[in-house]
Amino acid sequence: MNILLVEDHEDTRTVLANLLEHAGHHAIVASGYTEALRFLVRVPADVLLCDLGLPDGDGLDLASKAKALRPKIRTIALTARASLADKELGRQAGFDHYLTKPFDFHQLRTLLP
């Protein structure tokens, strides 16, 4: 499965990509909004794992664009934003799931198809 991982924190991005690869997935990594959008247009991603706070854009907007480009993509927010209002904004943007950092990788794996 192709998983587009969008995370601006380099260490988090590296660890998650390694864990996803070890679990048998193909991790496509992007450090920000612009890079992720380029991948979404070119690469058939099955899942978008996306931080909300990106240096060059908003993960909520990226989720909306991902759903428009690839209606069947599964979207999972990975964020420190934990309020109910934030979770509702995530749902409205099109996120299928919302994980608050820190999260357990096993919890993430249960959400992957």
Side-chain angles (χ1 to χ4, degrees):
M1 171 182 334
N2 288 333
I3 299 176
L4 176 55
L5 169 62
V6 187
E7 170 61 60
D8 60 323
H9 186 262
E10 185 177 355
D11 291 342
T12 303
R13 189 173 62 244
T14 300
V15 168
L16 276 175
N18 287 337
L19 288 169
L20 290 167
E21 294 276 344
H22 184 71
H25 304 293
H26 178 244
I28 305 150
V29 295
S31 61
Y33 180 95
T34 304
E35 186 179 18
L37 195 54
R38 282 196 303 263
F39 280 126
L40 279 170
V41 171
R42 295 186 347 238
V43 179
D46 303 299
V47 176
L48 170 67
L49 297 179
C50 188
D51 190 3
L52 298 187
L54 300 170
D56 60 343
D58 189 291
L60 296 170
D61 183 53
L62 187 59
S64 295
K65 285 190 174 15
K67 290 287 188 172
L69 288 167
R70 302 190 180 283
K72 294 186 180 190
I73 195 169
R74 179 167 291 197
T75 53
I76 303 170
L78 306 174
T79 182
R81 301 178 191 173
S83 75
L84 290 177
D86 288 324
K87 291 177 182 182
E88 178 58 22
L89 287 173
R91 188 193 62 74
Q92 290 173 6
F95 278 106
D96 299 306
H97 301 284
Y98 195 99
L99 292 178
T100 304
K101 295 176 183 175
F103 59 89
D104 185 288
F105 184 71
H106 296 292
Q107 182 184 12
L108 173 60
R109 285 191 65 191
T110 66
L111 300 177
L112 299 174

